Amino acid sequence: MLNIALPKGRLGDQVLSLFSQIGYDCGGIYENDRRLVLESPENNVRYLLVKPSDVAIYVEYGAADIGVVGKDILLDGNPDVYELLDLGIGKCRICVAGPEDYVEDRESVLRVATKFTTVAKDYYSSKNREIEIIKLNGSIELAPILGLTDVIVDIVESGRTLKENHLKVLETIVPISARLIANRASYLFHNEEISGICEKLQEVLPR
């Protein structure tokens, strides 16, 4: 069977819809249970439901042949996988955000709260800006509110959370969307099937 790692949650539901449209349905996945592995013998695929941030790890180390992951994970973790296709779903962006009245002091070290440490370092390095990163994994918006940092680097979708906390987008670093990735060895040994999936997906992707 071809092992396909999918992110749990809303993005995973969207991906399943795409795979169903190209003939890789797995009806049991919609049942209200706690199974993490679901098989579709008639389609010769096995779906693995994993935490979004872990999809690339499962694919990189061969537990899954292909998977769907946000571009943010690929940029920040730099896993050793093939990036095959932009699925055009799960669209958002990684941004720099700060207080509504924020004015940057270019003479001091910029303090940045983020979980995307690699993205933040690379971005500010390209601007020759000295920064201090404070890694946070949740409620990142609190950092500038409490004076812990000057700004944050985080995923922004609608911007509603920022607005509700009197923050605003200062700069957009990179647009993000879901990507189909493949294990390097799997892409070699299952090339025909994986390439076929890519071709079929391209026909049903949102324009």
Side-chain angles (χ1 to χ4, degrees):
M1 283 190 172
L2 192 73
N3 290 322
I4 304 175
L6 297 181
K8 295 179 183 178
R10 185 176 59 173
L11 179 59
D13 292 341
Q14 292 177 299
V15 176
L16 278 170
S17 176
L18 287 177
F19 274 89
S20 296
Q21 291 178 56
I22 64 170
Y24 286 83
D25 191 21
C26 186
I29 212 161
Y30 297 105
E31 296 174 4
N32 186 22
D33 60 31
R34 295 182 177 274
R35 287 181 294 171
L36 300 176
V37 179
L38 293 150
E39 296 184 353
S40 179
E42 64 275 19
N43 294 315
N44 199 39
V45 299
R46 180 185 292 116
Y47 289 110
L48 316 174
L49 303 183
V50 302
K51 187 176 179 181
S53 58
D54 290 340
V55 169
I57 298 173
Y58 279 83
V59 174
E60 179 177 7
Y61 288 94
D65 300 299
I66 61 175
V68 175
V69 64
K71 180 65 174 179
D72 53 311
I73 303 297
L74 300 179
L75 289 172
D76 208 64
N78 196 29
D80 186 20
V81 297
Y82 286 129
E83 182 179 331
L84 303 179
L85 193 61
D86 182 350
L87 298 179
I89 57 177
K91 289 185 176 182
C92 51
R93 50 195 173 134
I94 297 181
C95 296
V96 179
E100 292 174 339
D101 59 354
Y102 176 72
V103 177
E104 183 176 350
D105 180 3
R106 299 287 303 183
E107 301 301 318
S108 64
V109 175
L110 186 69
R111 302 183 77 190
V112 182
T114 188
K115 66 178 179 180
F116 301 108
T117 55
T118 301
V119 172
K121 287 176 182 176
D122 290 347
Y123 177 68
Y124 282 108
S125 176
S126 71
K127 301 180 67 172
N128 294 315
R129 184 71 167 95
E130 187 178 0
I131 64 170
E132 176 187 356
I133 288 182
I134 296 179
K135 185 173 182 179
L136 296 175
N137 294 304
S139 301
I140 292 175
E141 294 84 5
L142 270 176
I145 293 172
L146 299 179
L148 178 63
T149 63
D150 301 302
V151 298
I152 64 174
V153 169
D154 200 14
I155 290 284
V156 175
E157 190 170 355
S158 68
R160 180 178 174 182
T161 302
L162 293 178
K163 188 174 182 180
E164 289 179 350
N165 288 284
H166 305 291
L167 303 174
K168 66 177 181 180
V169 171
L170 302 172
E171 303 166 67
T172 295
I173 297 177
V174 63
I176 299 297
S177 58
R179 309 299 168 101
L180 181 69
I181 60 173
N183 173 271
R184 290 185 178 273
S186 296
Y187 188 69
L188 177 65
F189 291 110
H190 298 281
N191 184 267
E192 185 175 347
E193 187 172 4
I194 292 174
S195 295
I197 289 174
C198 287
E199 291 173 7
K200 291 175 182 177
L201 283 172
Q202 286 179 314
E203 296 175 2
V204 300
L205 293 181
R207 302 298 179 184

